[in-house]
Amino acid sequence: SPRKKNPFVAVNCASFPGSLMEVELFGYEKGAFTGANQRHRGLFEQAHGGTLLLDEIAELDLGLQAKFLRILQEKRFRRVGGESEIVVDVRLLASTHRDLKKLVECGKFREDLFYRISVFPIDVPPLRQRPEGVLALTAQYIEFFNREMGKRVEGISEDTRDIFLNYSWPGNVWELKNTI
């Protein structure tokens, strides 16, 4: 896309409590709070013209979801402690391991935000539901770790292959990567 050479900014929404996540996303003005000694550009500004990936979007608290929805609709926001609006143009990618539809039903995720971000959903089933992915990822991770560690591992044995294919991989892709 035309955005391919522009910034790609990723953030894990589960790694910040609500108030800190707001500061990360929107930035802040000097003096907005104790310790705000200078202006800080938030992730939306940093991703302007490019892509913002919000990993684990289900972890955003409801208040922040409302502010987030406004940015998506109006393409503008204010930094924490700011008075002027900042216009941004970002492509949004959002991911989660949780069922957003169920969270909407429970009142833990805004329905309007759910429909706003569900433009092109991609469901990736866990490894236990797609054993063919286990072998493809195994080969990819072996290649990756060979480069990282200067090794020359050529693959896995037939016995290991059978074990990998019959294992349920409860830790999903991360467990497979750590196993390799």
Side-chain angles (χ1 to χ4, degrees), residues 35-113:
N37 301 328
Q38 62 185 14
R39 174 184 286 171
H40 173 72
R41 293 174 57 234
L43 299 175
F44 273 101
E45 278 184 271
Q46 293 174 37
H48 179 66
T51 302
L52 177 61
L53 167 64
L54 295 175
D55 190 20
E56 297 303 341
I57 194 168
E59 305 307 317
L60 288 178
D61 66 43
L62 287 170
L64 196 51
Q65 289 178 31
K67 291 179 181 180
F68 183 71
L69 181 63
R70 181 176 180 266
I71 292 174
L72 292 179
Q73 291 173 340
E74 299 178 19
K75 299 181 186 229
R76 61 185 69 233
F77 68 96
R78 288 188 178 140
R79 291 187 192 109
V80 174
E83 295 179 1
S84 60
E85 290 195 324
I86 298 164
V87 176
V88 289
D89 173 26
V90 298
R91 171 179 43 200
L92 176 73
L93 300 178
S95 66
T96 184
H97 72 283
R98 299 176 67 188
D99 186 335
L100 289 181
K101 283 185 183 178
K102 287 183 182 175
L103 292 177
V104 167
E105 291 169 9
C106 298
K108 295 182 179 178
F109 198 85
R110 291 180 59 107
E111 184 175 26
D112 49 0
L113 179 56

Side-chain angles (χ1 to χ4, degrees), residues 8-178:
F8 179 86
V9 179
V11 62
N12 184 329
C13 297
S15 63
F16 297 97
S19 58
L20 285 179
M21 190 63 195
E22 182 175 2
V23 168
E24 282 297 310
L25 287 173
F26 309 131
Y28 55 85
E29 294 292 343
K30 180 179 178 178
F33 51 84
T34 304
N37 301 328
Q38 62 185 14
R39 174 184 286 171
H40 173 72
R41 293 174 57 234
L43 299 175
F44 273 101
E45 278 184 271
Q46 293 174 37
H48 179 66
T51 302
L52 177 61
L53 167 64
L54 295 175
D55 190 20
E56 297 303 341
I57 194 168
E59 305 307 317
L60 288 178
D61 66 43
L62 287 170
L64 196 51
Q65 289 178 31
K67 291 179 181 180
F68 183 71
L69 181 63
R70 181 176 180 266
I71 292 174
L72 292 179
Q73 291 173 340
E74 299 178 19
K75 299 181 186 229
R76 61 185 69 233
F77 68 96
R78 288 188 178 140
R79 291 187 192 109
V80 174
E83 295 179 1
S84 60
E85 290 195 324
I86 298 164
V87 176
V88 289
D89 173 26
V90 298
R91 171 179 43 200
L92 176 73
L93 300 178
S95 66
T96 184
H97 72 283
R98 299 176 67 188
D99 186 335
L100 289 181
K101 283 185 183 178
K102 287 183 182 175
L103 292 177
V104 167
E105 291 169 9
C106 298
K108 295 182 179 178
F109 198 85
R110 291 180 59 107
E111 184 175 26
D112 49 0
L113 179 56
F114 170 75
Y115 287 111
R116 187 71 170 97
I117 65 174
S118 295
V119 176
F120 189 74
I122 301 171
D123 183 39
V124 181
L127 282 177
R128 68 183 159 275
Q129 294 177 5
R130 52 187 174 103
E132 70 284 352
V134 171
L135 297 180
L137 286 169
T138 296
Q140 182 178 345
Y141 288 139
I142 288 172
E143 193 176 306
F144 170 80
F145 286 119
N146 277 340
R147 284 191 311 271
E148 287 287 309
M149 299 177 169
K151 301 287 183 179
R152 299 180 113 195
V153 175
E154 293 181 17
I156 58 174
S157 69
E158 286 294 316
D159 289 343
T160 302
R161 179 188 170 280
D162 292 341
I163 291 169
F164 277 23
L165 289 174
N166 290 307
Y167 183 65
S168 66
W169 299 104
N172 213 5
V173 175
W174 288 109
E175 182 180 10
L176 176 61
K177 183 177 182 181
N178 289 335

